[in-house]
Amino acid sequence: MVDLTLLDVKIVLFGANGRIGQLVMKEALDRGYQVTAVVRDHTRMTEQYENLRVVEGNAMDADNVASICEGHQVIISAVGASLGAEEELAIVAHSIVEGARRSGISRLVVVGEAGSLEVASGIKWMDTDEYPKESKPLAIAHVKAYEIYSQSDLDWTYCSPPAQIIPGRRTGQFRIGTDKLILDESDRSSISAEDYAAAIIDEVEDPYFLRARFTVAY
């Protein structure tokens, strides 16, 4: 297995211009990693960092994914989908898994979704009355994508966020769980987007949840 604690590791980040993707990119660059940021339109992102390369790409095209990923050691997918385009998540999952295989990369970290986390034994948050009904199709699509990643032969990790990701600050302090929604003493489930990004790069830097899912929250 590749030693991913080395700071000369090259990361390819899909979905780099999304809300979470931008913070994951910044966290990785701040720690000294070399990042290839994959975006649909490179004019919407400037190369502000010495270790950043911005390329146009299509995460739904396995050939394109394989070509971009050559020469890297880690793939991070922060690709999301909007309501009405939920089917794209499964296409992206198939494409990234196949592209990773072709390029010889085994390590994959995925920015996930919280709906499939359990709130009680056998009860997913997405199946409760508290879960926003309008978001359930997207949650179901994330579950399908998760199944594709988890059934692959890659060294994948799937990071589910808590119920809320809010703008805030990076503290580096949060709790870590596996398949259950983490609640605080007030029954809230939240984390700052900055700390969620830190958790993603923590897992890249020190792999612990190989071929597993984890979640973080305050």
Side-chain angles (χ1 to χ4, degrees), residues 29-60:
L29 290 166
D30 285 348
R31 298 197 198 188
Y33 289 99
Q34 299 178 58
V35 178
T36 297
V38 186
V39 297
R40 292 184 178 180
D41 181 359
H42 77 278
T43 64
R44 298 178 61 186
M45 179 178 289
T46 58
E47 298 184 12
Q48 307 173 52
Y49 294 80
E50 181 180 351
N51 289 340
L52 173 64
R53 183 168 72 101
V54 179
V55 301
E56 289 187 358
N58 183 1
M60 293 191 287

Side-chain angles (χ1 to χ4, degrees), residues 163-174:
Q164 287 187 312
I165 300 182
I166 54 179
R169 63 187 183 91
R170 185 192 187 285
T171 70
Q173 302 295 319
F174 41 79

